[in-house]
């Protein structure tokens, strides 16, 4: 198990466009394992490679704690419907914001054998996929929060 250092808002690596993966090397497999370790250790439901300082188009997601999914070079093929809800990010510690996103998505990606697959998702999983795929293009959820709708977690506890 290797937990990597999570980069936080303000660090340049989070704002770049990540590169496509062309080949699964032992280093990439190790990175993916470490991304899961890092995500679970931080109690997150998703993590993108730039969040651990690696500019590659790799995302890991597990919204239930029992359904780990790896997406390599993911692309959103279809996005429809709308959901508005609370969102956080391991790279923006202590904050929560309200974000509107598509409620349903179809995503195409490659697995760890570089086989293409599609995943269809709704609600929380759809939100997580959109959030993580945004990271690959340097987009953070705070960019999508309306003015006045980014909160400190401490303040939300009082409500
Ligand atoms: Ni995030």
């Amino acid at each position: 198990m290797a937990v990597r250092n999570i980069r936080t808002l303000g660090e340049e690596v989070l704002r770049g466009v990540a590169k496509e993966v062309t080949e699964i090397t032992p280093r990439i497999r190790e990175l993916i394992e470490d991304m899961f370790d890092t995500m679970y250790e931080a109690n997150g439901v998703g993590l993108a490679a730039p969040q651990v300082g690696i500019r590659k188009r790799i995302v890991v997601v597990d919204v239930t704690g029992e359904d780990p999914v790896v997406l390599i070079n993911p692309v959103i093929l279809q996005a429809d419907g709308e959901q508005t809800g609370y969102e956080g990010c391991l790279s923006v510690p202590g904050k929560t914001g309200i974000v509107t996103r598509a409620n349903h998505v179809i995503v195409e990606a490659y697995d760890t054998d570089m086989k293409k697959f599609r995943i269809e998702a709704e609600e929380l999983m759809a939100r997580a996929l959109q959030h993580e795929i945004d990271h690959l293009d340097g987009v953070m959820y705070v960019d999508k929060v309306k003015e006045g709708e980014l909160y400190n977690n401490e303040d939300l506890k009082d409500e």
Side-chain angles (χ1 to χ4, degrees), residues 51 89 131 135:
Q51 292 183 272
C89 178
H131 175 119
H135 273 301

Side-chain angles (χ1 to χ4, degrees), residues 20-127:
E20 291 211 340
V21 174
T22 55
E23 185 189 9
I24 304 296
T25 61
R27 277 177 70 127
I28 297 273
R29 287 188 191 279
E30 189 181 350
L31 168 64
I32 290 167
E33 278 181 31
D34 289 354
M35 284 173 66
F36 276 115
D37 290 343
T38 305
M39 179 184 80
Y40 290 130
E41 171 81 10
N43 293 315
V45 298
L47 193 73
Q51 292 183 272
V52 291
I54 306 290
R55 300 172 193 269
K56 290 190 185 298
R57 302 189 80 81
I58 303 173
V59 158
V60 298
V61 177
D62 188 350
V63 296
T64 66
E66 294 174 349
D67 298 299
V69 182
V70 181
L71 300 105
I72 295 167
N73 304 337
V75 175
I76 296 174
L77 296 181
Q78 194 181 319
D80 44 66
E82 195 176 280
Q83 57 172 319
T84 298
Y86 288 104
E87 202 164 305
C89 178
L90 296 177
S91 295
V92 191
K95 303 267 188 191
T96 299
I98 297 176
V99 186
T100 298
R101 294 194 185 269
N103 193 49
H104 168 258
V105 292
I106 298 173
V107 174
E108 189 167 80
Y110 293 86
D111 67 14
T112 52
D113 296 316
M114 283 308 263
K115 279 201 186 124
K116 204 183 261 188
F117 71 100
R118 283 186 186 185
I119 186 166
E120 183 167 12
E122 291 183 327
E123 300 180 5
L124 178 59
M125 182 62 171
R127 174 179 295 280

